Amino acid sequence: MSSVAKMIETIETEMDAESPESNPEHLRMVEALLFAASEPLDQKALSTSLPEGADVPGLLKALEATYEKRGVNLCCVAGKYQFRTASDLAFLLRKEQPEQKRLSKAAIETLSIIAYHQPVTRAEIEDIRGVAMSKGTIDILMEIGWIKIRGRKRTPDRPVTYGTTEAFLVQFGLESVAHLPGLDELKAAGFLEAIPPSGFDVPNPSDELSPDEDPYDPNEPEMATGSVNLDEA
């Protein structure tokens, strides 16, 4: 028996031992679908390719346990599932390549504000940053695909509100915006002082429309604003 065949047999034996209640053939199907997919798959997409009655949540849970300590892990990002290289082995796959253009400080700050404060308007972003923002900053983040227009505030000017996209969640390996690092994680990573200023708190972003927010209608005319651009994208 070849070394590859032995390895496959070992993996299947371990899967059977770790997941006695899972259908072995269904496990193989889910595994094959996830390996072949170019993008993360949700439970609905998987169920359409599996036999009727397949326990998709149970199968995914079994695969997560099976691959937990392997070189690749089954991860849930933006409510979808994808095999990814184990985080502690990422250094093995690094390649030397030309450095891509980095985001400016203004773009990074804007992205952070949108991620944590969404839904948030342009005026609210400027108020938090303390400086007027050039339109180019928002444009760059939208071109990358990390932010989107998600609605309009119920105020006289009807300003649009911004939020993050599924591509943002996939890029940073987040299951949802609720999984953004909290106060303790930010302090542990050195992004905040051990004792933050009095009254400081990390906001709770939401994917849902807020009570004072309407769904975005691209046909609704834009209102003129008087902002002055002071920073660079």
Side-chain angles (χ1 to χ4, degrees), residues 31-87:
E31 183 180 31
L33 289 168
L34 290 169
F35 265 121
S38 59
E39 298 179 349
L41 300 177
D42 58 19
Q43 293 187 21
K44 182 178 180 181
L46 289 168
S47 64
T48 58
S49 299
L50 293 173
E52 185 177 353
D55 179 17
V56 177
L59 293 169
L60 289 169
K61 186 175 181 180
L63 280 179
E64 284 180 332
T66 298
Y67 282 90
E68 184 177 7
K69 297 181 180 179
R70 298 191 188 281
V72 292
N73 302 146
L74 180 59
C75 304
C76 181
V77 291
K80 300 181 181 181
Y81 292 83
Q82 181 181 52
F83 280 113
R84 290 191 167 195
T85 303
S87 58

Side-chain angles (χ1 to χ4, degrees), residues 206-224:
S206 174
D207 286 323
E208 304 296 328
L209 289 174
S210 65
D212 62 346
E213 182 185 22
D214 289 322
Y216 177 65
D217 179 2
N219 297 319
E220 184 174 342
E222 296 287 340
M223 302 293 292

Side-chain angles (χ1 to χ4, degrees), residues 59-140:
L59 293 169
L60 289 169
K61 186 175 181 180
L63 280 179
E64 284 180 332
T66 298
Y67 282 90
E68 184 177 7
K69 297 181 180 179
R70 298 191 188 281
V72 292
N73 302 146
L74 180 59
C75 304
C76 181
V77 291
K80 300 181 181 181
Y81 292 83
Q82 181 181 52
F83 280 113
R84 290 191 167 195
T85 303
S87 58
D88 61 323
L89 299 179
F91 70 94
L92 294 173
L93 304 181
R94 290 193 184 128
K95 295 181 180 179
E96 295 295 330
Q97 57 184 4
E99 183 179 359
Q100 297 181 346
K101 182 181 178 180
R102 296 184 177 181
L103 290 178
S104 67
K105 180 181 178 182
I108 293 173
E109 290 178 353
T110 300
L111 178 61
S112 300
I113 291 170
I114 292 174
Y116 278 96
H117 291 266
Q118 60 184 304
V120 62
T121 65
R122 179 191 185 90
E124 290 168 340
I125 296 172
E126 293 176 338
D127 184 57
I128 294 170
R129 289 189 64 218
V131 61
M133 178 177 59
S134 71
K135 186 177 184 298
T137 302
I138 291 289
D139 290 342
I140 287 175

Side-chain angles (χ1 to χ4, degrees), residues 129-164:
R129 289 189 64 218
V131 61
M133 178 177 59
S134 71
K135 186 177 184 298
T137 302
I138 291 289
D139 290 342
I140 287 175
L141 294 174
M142 293 189 72
E143 287 174 6
I144 296 173
W146 288 353
I147 69 168
K148 64 182 178 182
I149 296 175
R150 49 171 284 165
R152 286 187 182 274
K153 271 291 184 69
R154 294 175 184 170
T155 59
D157 289 340
R158 300 284 292 165
V160 297
T161 56
Y162 296 96
T164 52

